[in-house]
């Protein structure tokens, strides 16, 4: 067991170096706007929405997101089939070169649970978006109430 651990260490270190070097990759070309969270009552998971714009010449692929405020953040897609709305896990969301991808109610969203400490309406919550090449992008999301349908006030600014 000790030998196995010793062998694994150099690999782990190489992985960390790679992740650091790749920081200015896909994320560097992605601009975020309309970033907001819809807070639901009680222990219901919150949904996070954002518009992603890729200014680069290559597609960027969103893989996942994380937050220090939420223990769980998942990339989901809602859809409606025959009047029944469903939600599925999504492995990645491609933002085309010089194009946009939208996370919005009824479609792609980040589903977040296990908030600690609890998140209140009006709070700014930082989410880190993780891209396929290992690069990451921090974005502040504004928290809105359950009856909100879009980013609200952030439209007019
Ligand atoms: Cu969901």
């Amino acid at each position: 067991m000790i030998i196995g651990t010793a062998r694994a260490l150099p690999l782990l270190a190489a992985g960390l170096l790679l992740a650091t070097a790749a920081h200015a990759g896909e994320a560097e070309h992605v601009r975020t706007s309309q970033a907001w969270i819809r807070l639901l009552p009680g222990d219901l998971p919150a949904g996070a929405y954002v518009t992603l714009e890729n200014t680069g010449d290559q597609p960027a692929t969103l893989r996942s997101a994380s937050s220090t405020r939420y223990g769980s953040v998942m990339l989901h897609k809602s859809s409606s089939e025959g009047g029944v709305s469903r939600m599925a896990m999504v492995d990645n969301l491609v933002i085309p070169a010089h194009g946009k991808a939208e996370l919005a109610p009824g479609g792609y969203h980040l589903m977040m649970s296990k908030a600690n400490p609890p998140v209140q309406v009006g709070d700014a919550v930082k989410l880190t978006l993780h891209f396929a090449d290992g690069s990451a992008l921090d974005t502040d999301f504004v928290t809105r109430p359950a009856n909100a349908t879009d980013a609200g006030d952030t439209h007019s600014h």
Side-chain angles (χ1 to χ4, degrees):
M1 285 310 273
I2 290 168
I3 289 169
T5 306
R7 278 190 186 149
L9 276 175
L11 281 175
L12 183 66
L16 288 174
L17 281 174
L18 262 179
T20 307
H23 192 79
E26 293 178 348
E28 192 184 22
H29 300 288
V30 175
R31 307 278 174 272
T32 59
S33 59
Q34 306 289 327
W36 64 288
I37 291 167
R38 179 155 63 191
L39 203 63
L40 297 181
D43 282 339
L44 288 171
Y49 310 102
V50 62
T51 299
L52 303 170
E53 184 176 4
N54 180 7
T55 62
D57 295 328
Q58 303 291 331
T61 303
L62 179 67
R63 273 280 170 75
S64 63
S66 59
S67 172
T68 55
R69 285 294 287 278
Y70 285 93
S72 168
V73 182
M74 289 182 290
L75 181 57
H76 276 179
K77 188 183 185 196
S78 297
S79 61
S80 182
E81 284 172 39
V84 181
S85 75
R86 302 167 187 283
M87 202 158 63
M89 298 269 286
V90 175
D91 287 334
N92 49 56
L93 169 58
V94 176
I95 312 153
H98 301 289
K100 279 184 185 181
E102 262 188 40
L103 283 74
Y108 289 104
H109 59 275
L110 297 167
M111 184 135 285
M112 311 189 294
S113 55
K114 300 178 189 145
N116 183 27
V119 173
Q120 311 289 335
V121 168
D123 283 359
V125 175
K126 193 184 293 290
L127 294 183
T128 305
L129 306 174
H130 301 278
F131 294 88
D133 67 353
S135 59
L137 179 64
D138 286 348
T139 301
D140 283 324
F141 284 66
V142 59
T143 307
R144 305 204 63 226
N147 61 1
T149 54
D150 60 32
D153 287 343
T154 61
H155 269 307
S156 52
H157 290 264

